[in-house]
Amino acid sequence: MAVTLVNPKGLPQPEVYRQLSIATGSRLVFLAGQVARDADGRKVGEGDLAAQVEQAYLNIGTALAEVGGSFDDVAKLTVYVVDWSPEKLPLLGEGVARAAAKLGVDPVKPITLLGVAALGEPDLLVEVEATAVLD
């Protein structure tokens, strides 16, 4: 595995993400922000944050599989959520958990969560960027 996840001593020890990742692979993969669209470009989960998060994570897994990797190779995620509020955290977690179950992975990664006013298309509630490291 090219990515080792760590919660260093002296920093908070969150359960839902890790503070840092140590990458030892030789190929960096930068994914464009993934949204709630299937392989044919159809909308998934309109108005449903959990469904949209799930699809974005699944899209990351699909993209990485195409280049010989998997979601386990993700070193860092950035998640953009429209009109973020702490009340949306359970829906975010639900979508992540459903995708993780389908992908068979531990979804806990270093993550930056940003609330935004809007995304590129009005029906989108979330967009997820990923950086991965492959051997």
Side-chain angles (χ1 to χ4, degrees):
M1 191 68 49
V3 178
T4 302
L5 303 172
V6 178
N7 267 336
K9 292 180 182 175
L11 292 178
Q13 305 291 304
E15 292 182 23
V16 296
Y17 69 92
R18 294 296 171 260
Q19 296 286 6
L20 63 90
S21 61
I22 302 164
T24 57
S26 58
R27 293 189 301 154
L28 292 177
V29 180
F30 301 93
L31 277 77
Q34 296 300 303
V35 297
R37 298 288 185 266
D38 67 13
D40 296 318
R42 291 184 298 250
K43 297 175 184 178
V44 174
E46 193 162 357
D48 182 342
L49 179 60
Q52 290 197 17
V53 169
E54 177 183 5
Q55 185 64 48
Y57 272 62
L58 292 174
N59 288 351
I60 291 168
T62 298
L64 289 172
E66 181 68 19
V67 297
S70 76
F71 199 92
D72 285 330
D73 298 308
V74 171
K76 172 77 167 66
L77 294 167
T78 303
V79 179
Y80 303 88
V81 180
V82 174
D83 296 325
W84 173 255
S85 67
E87 293 79 26
K88 293 183 178 181
L89 189 58
L91 294 172
L92 179 67
E94 178 184 334
V96 170
R98 291 191 325 220
K102 287 181 179 177
L103 294 167
V105 299
D106 180 352
V108 175
K109 308 287 180 184
I111 185 172
T112 299
L113 175 62
L114 299 167
V116 296
L119 293 168
E121 298 176 45
D123 62 304
L124 297 175
L125 302 175
V126 66
E127 186 165 336
V128 184
E129 290 179 344
T131 301
V133 181
L134 308 179
D135 284 325

